[in-house]
Every structure is written in C-alpha cells, then in structure tokens.
Amino acid sequence: METPQRLTEDWRDDRYVAEWITRQERRPERRRRDFTLIRAHIPYTPEQPFRYLNVGAGPGPLDAMLLAHFPQAQATLTDGSALMLERAREELGEAADRARYVQADFAQPDWTQAVEGPFDVVVSTIAIHNLFDGTRIRAVYRAIYDLLANDGVFLNLDYVRLTNPALRPLGRWAQRDPDLGFYGGGGESPLPGTLEEQVGWLREAGFSPADSLWREYGIALLCGVKGRLPQLESPG
C-alpha cells in the first residue's frame, strides 16, 4: 500500500491546511499536553475576566480548552487561513460567541491592524517558528509587546534550535523508551533561534522579566511579562 504524499507546506492552500488539521488530530495526547502547559501558566482564576489573543490560532482546540476553563474570558483568534478560523468556530461550539475571528497573517508587517487590543494575555503554540527568520520573529515579538496591556503576559510554546545540534540523536534515542512520555525531537538547524537567543529577543522587544518556563529538547515554553505579573493567589 502506497503512503500518501504529503503536500508542500503552504498555509494559504486549503488542501494543505486540511491535511495538516487531520495529522494533528492523530496525536491527541501530545496536543493536550501542549495546550495544558499554556492553560496552567495563565495567571488568572476561572472566575476572573480577561481578554486574550491567540497568534496563529489554528483550528481551535487550544481555545476550546481555554474558554471552557475560563468562562469569563474573551478570546481573539488570529490566523492567516480562513479555513483554520472556520474550523475553530466549529470547534468552540457554544463558546464561539465569546471569540473574535481575525484573518491576519503574522508574516505580514500590518497583521496587528485588524486586532483590537490591548490584551491581558497573548498565547501562541507551535506557530511563530514558521517564519524561519530571526528578524521577522523579533518584529512579531515587538508587535505582541505593543498589543499587551500593562502587566500583560505572553506565553509562546514553540520549537527552538539546540545550541549543540550534536545532541539531537540523544533525544531520538531517548524516545525509544515507551515509559518516558517525552518528546525528544526538534532542535533542527533551520530553526531561527536557540532558547537563549529567543529569550534575548523577548527582552529586546521590551519584556521584563522574560525567560523559559519549560523545555524538552527542541521545544520550549517562553514567557515575557510587560510590567509585573498579576497578583497570584497562594495555593491553599
């Protein structure tokens, strides 16, 4: 049986986008882990209202999770693909009326013009790396900084390049252990920035503090704060 040929990556091509969505649906555990990492780091309780922006939102599973957990939140989903936003509206179901859907390609310098800030939180998952250009990513970080309200938080789960690519085979080796529950891939050289460089770009954009909150080989959760974190309740 022949393996279907994967379409060339093109986010403007509905055929490619539909194929990509299908591939993501085949790995629900990995996707849920990624989305839970974002949800757990949003510094609001379910009872608190806040506005957030999802950059490169995709077909909506992260937003379905966030809007279910934070019933007072209002979302803006932005993506360059109309099909992605159409699928997102379907995915959100009853929560769809708590979201705005903005078709805007963050690869273009004017992408923020259609987005009505400020936002308390900006999130992005495995999206911004698709620019494959450090200069353009730095411009997106600056734009996100400007879209945030004072004391706003940016959470970006994305691929980063390993500082020493010679270690990549060790990650793939580790994944052979079925009990690890570990993603050892990523970190390839075409990626535009190491973790340290990405954190530096956040600080350059104005975020302070800025750091990596979590890392697993070639994927990391980056965080930048515009001012100070909202006051967090101590665990009971």
Side-chain angles (χ1 to χ4, degrees), residues 3 8 22 24 28-29 37 52 59 64 80-81 87 90 104 113-114 129 163 167 175 188 194 203 217 219 226-227:
T3 301
T8 302
T22 299
Q24 303 312 302
E29 293 182 6
L37 267 171
Y52 81 85
S81 165
R87 295 289 183 90
E90 296 170 0
Q113 292 183 9
H129 78 276
T163 303
L167 293 174
Q175 285 186 111
E188 287 80 3
T194 65
R203 292 171 179 160
Y217 271 79
I219 185 171
K226 185 177 180 177

Side-chain angles (χ1 to χ4, degrees), residues 95-117:
D97 61 354
R98 290 164 49 210
R100 292 183 64 241
Y101 308 87
V102 178
Q103 185 175 0
D105 183 356
F106 60 75
Q108 303 303 317
D110 61 351
W111 71 274
T112 61
Q113 292 183 9
V115 178
E116 298 177 6

Side-chain angles (χ1 to χ4, degrees), residues 8-236:
T8 302
E9 182 174 301
D10 183 353
W11 301 104
R12 297 165 298 182
D13 181 350
D14 283 354
R15 291 185 308 152
Y16 174 76
V17 169
E19 180 199 63
W20 182 90
I21 292 172
T22 299
R23 281 190 276 121
Q24 303 312 302
E25 291 171 346
R26 294 174 186 153
R27 51 177 197 164
E29 293 182 6
R30 168 74 190 283
R31 282 155 48 93
R32 182 167 182 81
R33 193 281 307 268
D34 290 351
F35 300 151
T36 302
L37 267 171
I38 295 289
R39 185 186 69 187
H41 285 89
I42 290 179
Y44 290 91
T45 67
E47 295 77 24
Q48 293 177 299
F50 65 94
R51 298 184 70 226
Y52 81 85
L53 169 69
N54 188 350
V55 177
L62 170 61
D63 300 286
M65 175 186 282
L66 295 183
L67 291 173
H69 185 76
F70 298 104
Q72 303 304 315
Q74 298 288 327
T76 295
L77 284 63
T78 180
D79 200 284
S81 165
L83 179 59
M84 287 285 200
L85 295 174
E86 178 184 328
R87 295 289 183 90
R89 189 186 293 270
E90 296 170 0
E91 178 76 18
L92 293 188
E94 294 182 357
D97 61 354
R98 290 164 49 210
R100 292 183 64 241
Y101 308 87
V102 178
Q103 185 175 0
D105 183 356
F106 60 75
Q108 303 303 317
D110 61 351
W111 71 274
T112 61
Q113 292 183 9
V115 178
E116 298 177 6
F119 298 95
D120 303 297
V121 177
V122 175
V123 300
S124 186
T125 54
I126 318 297
I128 297 175
H129 78 276
N130 284 295
L131 293 174
F132 288 100
D133 181 289
T135 299
R136 297 167 77 188
I137 290 176
R138 290 155 79 180
V140 170
Y141 286 172
R142 289 192 296 270
I144 288 172
Y145 181 86
D146 290 340
L147 286 170
L148 278 168
N150 291 332
D151 303 334
V153 177
F154 173 38
L155 296 166
N156 181 27
L157 182 72
D158 210 347
Y159 297 126
V160 295
R161 191 178 75 249
L162 291 183
T163 303
N164 190 334
L167 293 174
R168 288 204 308 271
L170 187 59
R172 292 191 287 269
W173 177 266
Q175 285 186 111
R176 301 185 320 149
D177 188 325
D179 297 324
L180 185 63
F182 190 86
Y183 175 68
E188 287 80 3
S189 56
L191 291 168
T194 65
L195 184 147
E196 293 78 9
E197 289 171 331
Q198 292 269 1
V199 171
W201 296 344
L202 288 173
R203 292 171 179 160
E204 177 186 83
F207 291 101
S208 179
D211 213 329
S212 170
L213 304 181
W214 173 92
R215 179 180 183 175
E216 195 173 85
Y217 271 79
I219 185 171
L221 178 59
L222 303 166
C223 177
V225 180
K226 185 177 180 177
R228 296 183 299 174
L229 281 174
Q231 188 171 356
L232 303 176
E233 298 179 2
S234 300

